[in-house]
Structure formats: C-alpha cells, structure tokens
Amino acid sequence: MSNGQAMTRKQLDSLRARQLLTAWSGPVLVVLFFLGLVTFMDFVPPPSPMNSGEVTAALYRDHLLSMRVGIVLCSFAVALLAPWGASIAARTRRTETRFPVFTYTQLGCIGTGLMVAVLCFLIWAIAAFRPDDLAPETTRMLHDLGWFLFLFDVPPFMVWMIAIGLAILMNQSGRQLFPRWAGYFCIWIAVCEAPAVLILFFKTGPFAYNGLVGFWLPTVAFFAWVIVFTWLVIRDVNAEHAEAVVATTSAQPAAAA
Amino acid sequence: MSVFGAVAIPRRGTAPSPPARAHVPGEPGLWIVLFGDIAVFTILFVVYLAHRGENAELFAHSQQALNRTFGAVNTLVLLSSSLLIVLAVRAYRSDQRRHLTPRLAIAGMAVGSCFVAIKIVEYHEMVAAGITPSTNEFYMYYFVLTGLHLFHVTVGLIVLLVLVGLARNTSPTLANVAFFEGGACFWHMVDLLWIIIFPLLFLVR
C-alpha cells in the first residue's frame, strides 16, 4: 500500500527490498546462532548446572578457540534481532495510526531483549578470556550468569510476543496485519517461554537450565516463532508488492511490468 | 466492549447459534493456543510419568503427604464453574435468555476463584509442613505442574472477567459471540488440564 500516492516501479521495488532485507535477518540470525552455539560453543545440549567449577572451567580451557569463535558469531547473530523486529513493528505501526502503543511496546522490548542477549555473550566472552587465570568457581559464576541471561530473562520477550499478538487480534484499522491465527500463535509461544524462569529453582531435572522445560521448550519455541514470522512478513511483502505493481501498470499502461 | 475481532470473524458467514456443520467454537486460530497448551502439558505429563517409573517408591511415598480432599474439592469447583460457563454461553446465544448471561458468568467466575483460594491454603499447608519444590523430585513436579496450572487458572479468570463485561452487551455481534465462545473454551481447557493433573499427582498408584 502506497499511502494513496502513485509510486513508480523503482520505488515499489526499493520498498520491497528494504522490507525483505530486514525480514531475512531473521533466518540469518537463526543460522549464525545455531552455528555459534551448537557447532562452535558446543552448548547444545547445555552442560549440567550440577557441574563443578573445575569441569566448567575445563569447558572453556579445553576448547578455547572454538568457544571464542562461537561467542563472536552469536554476538553478531543477536544484533539482527533489531532489523528483524523492525520488519514486524513497522507493519504493526501501519495499523495503529493514532496511538501506536503496541508498536512502541515492541520497540522497547526489542531494545531490552537485544541488550540482554548481547550481554549474555559478553559474559561468556569474559569467561573465555582468561580461564587459566581465574579460580574455577569464578568461571562457573560467569558461565551461570550467561545461562541466566540466556534463559531467565524471558519476560521482555514474552511482552514483545504478546504485543504483536494483541496488535493482530485487536486490529480494527481495515489494513491487513497477518492472519488472526498468527496472533494466537504469538500468545502460545509467549506461554511456552514462561517456564524458563523455573531455572532459578532447580539444578537438575526438566526445569533446570539444561532441561526439557527449562531450555528446550523456550528455545525451540523462540526460533520457531522467528521462522514463522519471517515467512509471514515475506509472504505479505511480496503479495503487497505484486498488487501494487499491477495497480501502477494498469494506471500507466505504457510501463511494462 | 468491542475487544478482539470483528474484522475477520464475519467472513465465516454462518450464524454461530445453531450448531451448524463444521462450526468451530470461538475461532479456528484460538485452537492453536488450546491445542498448543495441551501439547506442552502432555510433554510434562510424559516426563513426570517417566521419572515416576524410575523412582516409584519415592513418588508413592511422597504422594501420601498431599491433601486429597483439597484436590477433589478443587475438581468439583472447576467442573461446576465450567458448567456455569456452558450455561452462560447458551444463554448468550439465545435472544430470550441473554439477560441471564452476566449473572451466570459472574457465578462461574466466583466459583472458579475458589480454586485459587483453596490452592493457596494447600500450598501454605505444605510449606508449613516443611515441604518445598526442592524437598524431592515428586514435590518438584507437584509444585511445578500445579503452579503452571494455577497460572492458567489466573489467566482464565481474567478471560472470564472480560466475558462478564461482554455479557452486558444485549445485542452482541457475531464477533462478540465468537469471542465469548473462545473464552469459554479456554476455561474448559483449564478444567480439562486439572482433570488430568489431579489423578496424575494425587491418585495414581
């Protein structure tokens, strides 16, 4: 939709390109993150919270280079939350012309979520900086701190998801904003993130930070959410672009499509 | 109250009052949340049962400290609350009995709130007896499963509160009716989950 003003084909293409660029940062984020956390850091499945300081320090000491490379990859990966989040927030903004409260909520949560995610890898980076010099318990503390930044602070992410969900479900603007099931999907994913706070209470079992409910459920749900919403954004951007192109070409029959 | 919807609902076309062919209660998307939630709890139940199998004695022994009366009463509480909400939905759909809806919905909410009160007493009793989630594996599952469920009950009560507001509207739109049905379905799901959790934690031998 071009706000009523006729746009040239070039402008339309650029509009699509910038939206696709931000949307595709989602899958790039997922791939980089997977490469960093799984392949290089070897943190999936996560090491047990029951590990002694000595065992934890060895995780860093014995694979120092690949640990560091993985941390760097992940640090770049999480920064992509900003453009990816913007690709959704901008579409929400269009439906909230007067009081864009859900858009602002999303922006706030993207900022804090990104900050927390960057900090997570920064802390692990410090653990991997001089593990030989540190007391093992200190390395373990940094290691735990990283996992808590990774999992425990789900609330801003949940609020982010719920803001998108409500923006979809309460949309009365007449402008299209994702199918309604996507709104319910957001709310369900937010519910799946919630049990991550349980990692504070347990060191073994499904609710610990290496457990099914402590780690796997929130993490898999989050990445599934990124993939599904990337697909939704790309689909809508392309559909709108095609529609707009038809509209311009029918208005100016001279311009070939 | 014109919360949620009105844009997408009408395209379904058919009136929601007669149980027409292939009528989805609420709206189709809502069932992502309902089935999704049930799926997550199912995973938890499987994990619990697997660990129970590994440690049958400890689980059976620890189970005896639970207050089965509280559990049973809470089951009745949720079932009666669900029934009241069913009646509220039926009243809301009918032009003649719509005026009864707010009362039925408020009654359903009031009965549902008893669940929270009883649960708090139950938790208090256990903590007073020195039992916490870290006491042993069984109590970890007990507190986490009932805690997550209690979180759902709280969300459900908020949904019912919205329904009470909606019920005051004497000439609801199709979207209102769909939202009312959807909210009621969520409440029934909360009930259903408890009906599984109660025997799993309190009764299974």
Side-chain angles (χ1 to χ4, degrees), chain B residues 5 22 36-37 55 71 76 85 106 112 117 121 125 135 184 194 198:
Chain B
D37 250 13
N55 218 336
L76 286 177
I85 296 302
I106 289 171
V121 174
E125 220 177 51
T135 301
W194 177 252
F198 172 54

Side-chain angles (χ1 to χ4, degrees), chain A residues 38-241:
Chain A
V38 182
T39 316
F40 282 95
M41 294 175 73
D42 198 17
F43 267 11
V44 177
S48 166
M50 295 290 277
N51 282 348
S52 66
E54 202 39 64
V55 173
T56 308
L59 285 177
Y60 290 84
R61 230 185 290 121
D62 297 351
H63 315 278
L64 204 49
L65 182 61
S66 83
M67 193 62 100
R68 287 171 175 171
V69 171
I71 291 168
V72 169
L73 284 176
C74 287
S75 300
F76 278 99
V78 293
L80 294 174
L81 276 176
W84 184 76
S87 76
I88 298 164
R91 301 186 80 74
T92 314
R93 178 69 181 84
R94 234 173 33 158
T95 65
E96 296 188 301
T97 41
R98 301 190 61 181
F99 293 99
V101 284
F102 291 132
T103 310
Y104 292 164
T105 307
Q106 285 177 52
L107 298 184
C109 292
I110 293 166
T112 35
L114 201 161
M115 190 63 221
V116 153
V118 165
L119 265 181
C120 160
F121 291 99
L122 183 134
I123 302 270
W124 277 333
I126 293 169
F129 181 46
R130 44 173 141 217
D132 287 324
D133 260 10
L134 288 182
E137 276 67 33
T138 310
T139 302
R140 185 167 74 165
M141 186 183 86
L142 293 170
H143 176 79
D144 282 345
L145 186 51
W147 277 109
F148 270 71
L149 283 166
F150 190 102
L151 290 169
F152 183 73
D153 39 41
V154 285
F157 288 92
M158 290 170 63
V159 172
W160 179 14
M161 291 158 180
I162 293 170
I164 298 174
L166 291 182
I168 296 170
L169 293 174
M170 295 174 84
N171 176 19
Q172 303 277 354
S173 67
R175 280 178 179 250
Q176 199 250 343
L177 173 69
F178 306 122
R180 285 180 65 82
W181 64 259
Y184 286 110
F185 179 71
C186 276
I187 289 172
W188 176 54
I189 296 287
V191 172
C192 291
E193 300 295 318
V197 295
L198 291 173
I199 66 166
L200 177 59
F201 299 88
F202 305 102
K203 291 188 188 65
T204 55
F207 311 111
Y209 71 58
N210 65 340
L212 184 64
V213 183
F215 171 78
W216 290 98
L217 178 67
T219 310
V220 172
F222 177 79
F223 287 107
W225 179 69
V226 172
I227 296 297
V228 168
F229 264 81
T230 303
W231 170 68
L232 285 171
V233 171
I234 291 174
R235 200 186 64 161
D236 282 8
V237 168
N238 283 331
E240 266 174 36
H241 180 260

Side-chain angles (χ1 to χ4, degrees), chain B residues 51-71:
Chain B
H51 285 259
R52 187 189 172 88
E54 284 169 18
N55 218 336
E57 240 172 76
L58 172 80
F59 276 61
H61 178 74
S62 309
Q63 193 180 46
Q64 285 168 3
L66 300 187
N67 188 328
R68 262 184 242 147
T69 316
F70 282 152

Side-chain angles (χ1 to χ4, degrees), chain B residues 3-5 29 31-32 39 43 96 148 160 187 205:
Chain B
V3 235
F4 298 107
W31 290 85
I32 292 185
I43 296 172
Q96 295 83 40
L148 286 176
L160 290 187
W187 188 242
R205 292 278 142 141

